[in-house]
Amino acid sequence: MAYDGTLFHGWQIQVKERSVQEEIQKALKKITGEDIIIHSSGRTDAGVHAENQVFHFDTDKNINEKQWARALNHFLPDDIYIKDSEAVSDDFHSRYSVKKKEYHYRLSTNTYSPFDRHTIYQYPYGKLDLEIMREAAKIFIGEHDFASYCVYDEYGNTIRTLYDFTIEEKDGFFTFKLIGSGFRRYMVRHIVGGVIQVGAHRRSIAYLKELLDSKGEKKCLFKAEPEGLYLMHVHYEEE
Amino acid sequence: MAYDGTLFHGWQIQVKERSVQEEIQKALKKITGEDIIIHSSGRTDAGVHAENQVFHFDTDKNINEKQWARALNHFLPDDIYIKDSEAVSDDFHSRYSVKKKEYHYRLSTNTYSPFDRHTIYQYPYGKLDLEIMREAAKIFIGEHDFASYCVYDEYGNTIRTLYDFTIEEKDGFFTFKLIGSGFRRYMVRHIVGGVIQVGAHRRSIAYLKELLDSKGEKKCLFKAEPEGLYLMHVHYEEE
């Protein structure tokens, strides 16, 4: 599924705020009459987008696997689109079966455009140094305790493996591409936020490394804005 | 100026609805203290966008010509952006001094994307025939009475000159580009709407020509959706 996160308070169902989960569950109720709880590969925060999010659910309703997408799209609002649907085995779980996830972060250093305001972070402070950001990205690759780049959580395991982190630029439009075993809340936005500071020559690569190595003692204080972030792919197979 | 027309009821000030004109006049009031009426090159309708709209106003406030853009952007909402500002002579009028206008219409025949829903018309009925649409476009070029492709208006002059009408396509994204002496209300959307019908092989080029030649007797009933339409350029100089 794809969704434009602009008008959602995030993935997870909320009491008063609009959420992606609630919209889908409401659509499923209309199709099946059942009170279905859906499970995604993970949450996304308010304003964050998905190009290819995955969710699963259990149902007694007998509909052809490919027809679920069409039926859901009929009832869903226009900022959510189900791209495909298929039947899965009982041991599949959208969250626990994940092998890798890929996030992209889109940023522009060009003149402000009102058309991009919800879908690209429009960096307003001038140029960014692509080469030094690419160097900075390297320090995050591999298995690390990312506690300094996550939301504080006393109990959670903050060790993750980042398999790849590349940055592309074309005509002032930057795309940061991160592939990892998983990402904790705000982790991509803190990593990208730190790398942007290096690209602006406001912080050094050594400083980002020092934060990382402190394993939560020293927190990254830079968090990139939500509108640039996209969940691009969820991989369930080892490649 | 550029504006994303999605959340506006159009350019022209309304009693209860949000308009681009009102937002700018409110910003000018904050800057100058004056009740300024602004004049654009023309109106745009609800949901229609502008990449380069032009407006003028008179003021007693003495601000450097280039500083007006920055001052306005400070007070304007994020779906409007003033790109540039300059002082003009008293005989310049944003509307009456116009020599040519260029509109673009953006359309996609690809799978629905929630990210494009306000900025591209996502044509849901399959492929379109580019070559026959290019042939259809030719019948509109030149000076014509476009009454069949405008809103009905007993008194208005519906004769306009279309200087150029080209259609480009890349990977299922189409851009219709029209340059003319001026365009009446809904005129671009009716012309593009008719050409789309030809591209879908639902109507013939001869049918569009018959409508045009009837000078208002037979109306074009196809009107392309507003979200694909952009005012791209307003020309004040003969080229």
Side-chain angles (χ1 to χ4, degrees):
Chain A
M1 69 181 303
Y3 51 82
D4 175 342
T6 306
L7 301 178
F8 294 107
H9 199 72
W11 169 270
Q12 193 178 31
I13 206 158
Q14 312 270 328
V15 176
K16 291 187 180 172
E17 306 279 359
R18 187 167 180 261
S19 69
V20 180
Q21 185 186 0
E22 183 177 25
E23 293 291 346
I24 296 171
Q25 292 183 179
K26 283 195 310 195
L28 284 170
K29 175 81 175 180
K30 286 177 188 164
I31 296 167
T32 65
E34 302 169 16
D35 289 309
I36 291 173
I37 306 290
I38 63 171
H39 302 271
S40 73
S41 74
R43 302 170 192 170
T44 53
D45 286 304
V48 173
H49 312 295
E51 276 283 4
N52 295 287
Q53 171 67 287
V54 176
F55 65 93
H56 84 265
F57 57 91
D58 298 310
T59 178
D60 293 323
K61 187 84 175 179
N62 189 16
I63 297 178
N64 176 282
E65 62 179 352
K66 293 295 175 196
Q67 294 300 318
W68 282 100
R70 192 185 298 184
L72 277 165
N73 285 327
H74 179 74
F75 290 109
L76 285 169
D78 65 1
D79 45 0
I80 301 179
Y81 182 73
I82 310 294
K83 295 182 168 182
D84 197 12
S85 52
E86 60 182 289
V88 288
S89 63
D90 281 345
D91 63 356
F92 174 87
H93 192 289
S94 296
R95 182 171 166 201
Y96 301 119
S97 306
V98 171
K99 295 288 188 291
K100 289 181 185 175
K101 276 185 168 181
E102 180 166 352
Y103 276 94
H104 286 186
Y105 193 89
R106 299 172 69 199
L107 179 154
S108 162
T109 55
N110 296 327
T111 304
Y112 178 80
S113 165
F115 303 105
D116 295 334
R117 70 195 191 281
H118 297 309
T119 50
I120 299 177
Y121 172 45
Q122 303 196 51
Y123 182 76
Y125 308 114
K127 302 286 181 198
L128 291 173
D129 181 338
L130 178 62
E131 290 314 314
I132 200 168
M133 290 199 293
R134 285 175 167 164
E135 288 301 313
K138 290 179 185 168
I139 71 162
F140 295 100
I141 293 176
E143 183 179 281
H144 299 282
D145 182 340
F146 284 96
S148 295
Y149 290 88
C150 304
V151 172
Y152 180 74
D153 180 339
E154 203 173 341
Y155 302 102
N157 174 0
T158 49
I159 295 172
R160 294 290 185 280
T161 300
L162 191 67
Y163 297 111
D164 202 21
F165 185 178
T166 56
I167 309 171
E168 294 170 6
E169 186 265 338
K170 191 176 182 220
D171 301 331
F173 290 97
F174 292 75
T175 306
F176 300 71
K177 301 182 175 181
L178 295 87
I179 302 174
S181 59
F183 296 90
R184 288 187 60 105
R185 191 172 198 197
Y186 297 151
M187 185 173 142
V188 177
R189 290 166 60 188
H190 276 121
I191 291 173
V192 171
V195 170
I196 290 170
Q197 291 297 314
V198 169
H201 302 296
R202 294 180 182 191
R203 290 291 185 282
S204 66
I205 295 174
Y207 174 76
L208 297 192
K209 182 91 169 63
E210 184 186 326
L211 295 182
L212 184 65
D213 292 344
S214 79
K215 300 178 183 181
E217 283 295 309
K218 298 172 191 168
K219 288 285 191 181
C220 177
L221 301 175
F222 310 107
K223 187 172 71 176
E225 299 295 323
E227 67 268 20
L229 187 58
Y230 293 73
L231 174 57
M232 290 302 289
H233 297 291
V234 186
H235 297 281
Y236 292 98
E237 305 291 330
E238 303 282 4
E239 275 164 31
Chain B
M1 69 182 304
Y3 51 82
D4 176 343
T6 307
L7 302 178
F8 293 106
H9 199 72
W11 168 269
Q12 193 178 32
I13 206 157
Q14 312 272 326
V15 176
K16 290 185 178 174
E17 307 279 359
R18 187 167 180 259
S19 68
V20 180
Q21 184 186 1
E22 182 177 26
E23 292 292 345
I24 296 171
Q25 291 183 178
K26 283 193 315 195
L28 284 170
K29 176 82 176 182
K30 286 177 187 162
I31 295 167
T32 66
E34 302 168 15
D35 290 308
I36 291 173
I37 305 289
I38 62 171
H39 303 271
S40 73
S41 74
R43 302 170 191 172
T44 54
D45 286 304
V48 173
H49 311 296
E51 276 283 5
N52 295 288
Q53 172 66 289
V54 176
F55 65 94
H56 84 265
F57 56 92
D58 297 308
T59 179
D60 292 324
K61 187 84 173 179
N62 189 15
I63 296 178
N64 175 283
E65 61 178 353
K66 292 296 175 193
Q67 295 301 318
W68 282 100
R70 191 185 300 184
L72 277 165
N73 285 326
H74 178 75
F75 289 108
L76 284 169
D78 65 2
D79 45 0
I80 302 178
Y81 183 73
I82 309 294
K83 295 181 167 182
D84 196 13
S85 53
E86 59 182 288
V88 287
S89 62
D90 281 344
D91 62 358
F92 174 87
H93 191 288
S94 296
R95 183 170 167 201
Y96 302 118
S97 306
V98 171
K99 294 290 190 290
K100 290 182 186 176
K101 277 184 167 183
E102 179 167 352
Y103 276 94
H104 287 188
Y105 193 88
R106 298 173 68 201
L107 178 153
S108 162
T109 55
N110 296 327
T111 304
Y112 179 77
S113 165
F115 302 106
D116 295 334
R117 70 194 191 282
H118 297 310
T119 50
I120 299 177
Y121 171 45
Q122 303 195 51
Y123 182 76
Y125 308 113
K127 302 285 181 197
L128 291 174
D129 181 338
L130 178 62
E131 290 314 315
I132 200 169
M133 290 199 292
R134 284 175 168 164
E135 287 302 312
K138 289 179 186 169
I139 70 163
F140 295 100
I141 293 176
E143 183 180 282
H144 298 282
D145 182 341
F146 285 95
S148 295
Y149 291 88
C150 304
V151 173
Y152 180 75
D153 181 338
E154 202 173 344
Y155 303 103
N157 173 1
T158 49
I159 295 170
R160 295 289 185 280
T161 301
L162 191 66
Y163 298 111
D164 203 20
F165 185 179
T166 57
I167 309 173
E168 294 171 6
E169 188 265 337
K170 191 175 183 221
D171 301 331
F173 290 97
F174 292 75
T175 305
F176 301 71
K177 301 182 175 181
L178 296 88
I179 302 175
S181 59
F183 296 89
R184 286 187 61 105
R185 192 172 198 198
Y186 298 151
M187 184 172 143
V188 177
R189 291 166 61 189
H190 276 121
I191 291 173
V192 171
V195 170
I196 290 170
Q197 291 296 315
V198 170
H201 302 295
R202 294 179 181 193
R203 289 292 185 282
S204 66
I205 294 174
Y207 175 75
L208 297 192
K209 181 93 169 66
E210 184 187 327
L211 295 183
L212 184 65
D213 291 344
S214 82
K215 301 179 184 181
E217 283 296 309
K218 300 172 188 167
K219 286 286 190 181
C220 177
L221 301 176
F222 310 106
K223 186 172 72 178
E225 299 295 321
E227 68 269 20
L229 187 58
Y230 293 73
L231 174 56
M232 290 301 289
H233 296 291
V234 186
H235 297 280
Y236 292 98
E237 303 293 328
E238 304 281 5
E239 275 162 31

